[in-house]
């Protein structure tokens, strides 16, 4: 199985900050990596698919990069509504595997 | 508007069975693969099972293989998860999600609690 190591586990940042979250795969997953945002009590929402494609309706301050084993989610200017937990998902091969999550809070 | 509505959860004793449903609307259900993903209380997400649009291929996580069965009825726009031999570690919020790879829309989830 492909292991997804997500970092950091917790992140505190200020409004307007540039925020980066990383996921590292235990083997090559090409670009088959999605990023999700989950707010408290809500279902996950797809932000980025296939490493760098922005899902329809998602603000352009969210972006994704990477390929192979190393991936990054970037929020260019943090907004209060971005407080959430963020997960990566590899869908290169079954079993699909998620990162453990990054909890993002406002400083 | 794409909607996925899960149902069938509840409190069940260890070793018993439960069947979850996910009713889809707002898109052509028969064109999409579907998935079940779960989240134990306070924990991260765990993929459970996937089924292709025509049920021709099915995959399971090792943690549920042999106990859970994913299926679908395209005429009823419904995805199912039959869960047998339930264990305490199966306690989780179960989500259905659309798409093979994309998992672009998720339902709100249904809670399954396995406890005596």
């Amino acid at each position: 199985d492909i292991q997804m190591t997500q970092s950091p586990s917790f992140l505190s940042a200020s409004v307007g900050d540039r925020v980066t979250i990383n996921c590292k795969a235990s083997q090559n997953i090409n670009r088959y990596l999605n990023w999700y945002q989950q707010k408290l009590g809500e279902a996950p929402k797809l932000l980025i698919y296939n490493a760098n494609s922005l899902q329809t309706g998602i603000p352009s301050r969210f972006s994704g990069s990477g390929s192979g084993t190393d991936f990054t989610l970037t929020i260019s200017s943090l907004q209060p509504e971005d407080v959430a937990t963020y997960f990566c998902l590899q869908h290169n091969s079954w079993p699909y595997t998620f990162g453990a999550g990054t909890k993002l809070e406002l400083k | 508007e794409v909607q996925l509505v899960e149902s069938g959860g509840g409190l069940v004793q260890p070793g018993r069975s439960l069947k979850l449903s996910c009713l889809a609307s707002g898109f052509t259900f028969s064109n999409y693969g579907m998935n079940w993903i779960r989240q134990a209380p306070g924990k991260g997400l765990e993929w459970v099972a996937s089924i292709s649009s025509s049920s021709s291929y099915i995959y399971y996580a090792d943690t549920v293989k042999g106990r859970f069965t994913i299926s679908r009825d395209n005429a009823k726009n419904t995805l199912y998860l039959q869960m047998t031999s339930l264990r305490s570690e199966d306690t989780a919020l179960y989500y259905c999600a659309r798409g093979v790879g994309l998992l672009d829309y998720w339902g709100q989830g249904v809670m399954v609690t396995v406890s005596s």
Side-chain angles (χ1 to χ4, degrees):
Chain A
D1 297 1
I2 297 173
Q3 308 303 315
M4 301 302 298
T5 302
Q6 188 171 341
S7 62
S9 301
F10 178 82
L11 185 54
S12 181
S14 301
V15 172
D17 282 355
R18 182 180 183 89
V19 169
T20 59
I21 298 169
N22 300 293
C23 263
K24 186 175 184 66
S26 60
Q27 60 187 267
N28 180 19
I29 59 169
N30 300 292
R31 303 182 77 87
Y32 295 115
L33 189 286
N34 297 348
W35 289 100
Y36 295 86
Q37 176 194 67
Q38 186 176 31
K39 295 184 179 181
L40 201 61
E42 297 183 6
K45 178 193 292 185
L46 177 64
L47 302 175
I48 302 288
Y49 62 95
N50 294 342
N52 62 2
S53 295
L54 189 68
Q55 173 68 346
T56 303
I58 300 302
S60 58
R61 65 180 180 273
F62 292 93
S63 64
S65 63
S67 65
T69 60
D70 292 287
F71 300 87
T72 300
L73 172 70
T74 300
I75 307 173
S76 60
S77 178
L78 186 67
Q79 300 302 303
E81 59 267 31
D82 299 337
V83 169
T85 298
Y86 294 82
F87 294 95
C88 62
L89 164 71
Q90 72 80 19
H91 58 96
N92 181 76
S93 60
W94 277 279
Y96 291 170
T97 44
F98 289 89
T102 295
K103 188 172 183 180
L104 176 57
E105 294 190 349
L106 284 180
K107 193 178 291 182
Chain B
E1 179 193 5
V2 172
Q3 285 199 317
L4 298 167
V5 180
E6 302 94 339
S7 60
L11 174 64
V12 61
Q13 293 179 327
R16 303 297 290 265
S17 300
L18 203 61
K19 187 173 186 176
L20 306 183
S21 299
C22 169
L23 178 62
S25 61
F27 65 101
T28 304
F29 181 70
S30 59
N31 286 351
Y32 288 84
M34 296 293 294
N35 311 269
W36 288 100
I37 298 99
R38 67 185 181 183
Q39 187 169 35
K43 302 295 185 183
L45 298 163
E46 179 189 15
W47 169 80
V48 173
S50 297
I51 185 169
S52 64
S53 57
S54 60
S55 305
S56 55
Y57 64 84
I58 287 173
Y59 297 93
Y60 295 100
D62 284 345
T63 51
V64 307
K65 198 175 295 182
R67 300 188 300 122
F68 290 12
T69 302
I70 188 172
S71 63
R72 63 190 297 159
D73 186 335
N74 286 344
K76 294 183 177 179
N77 290 344
T78 303
L79 175 73
Y80 302 102
L81 186 67
Q82 176 69 56
M83 303 183 294
T84 64
S85 303
L86 282 161
R87 306 166 180 167
S88 57
E89 54 264 36
D90 296 319
T91 294
L93 187 62
Y94 284 75
Y95 296 101
C96 63
R98 186 182 82 161
V100 174
L102 200 56
L103 282 76
D104 56 354
Y105 287 92
W106 297 51
Q108 287 301 303
V110 62
M111 190 67 201
V112 173
T113 303
V114 184
S115 174
S116 54

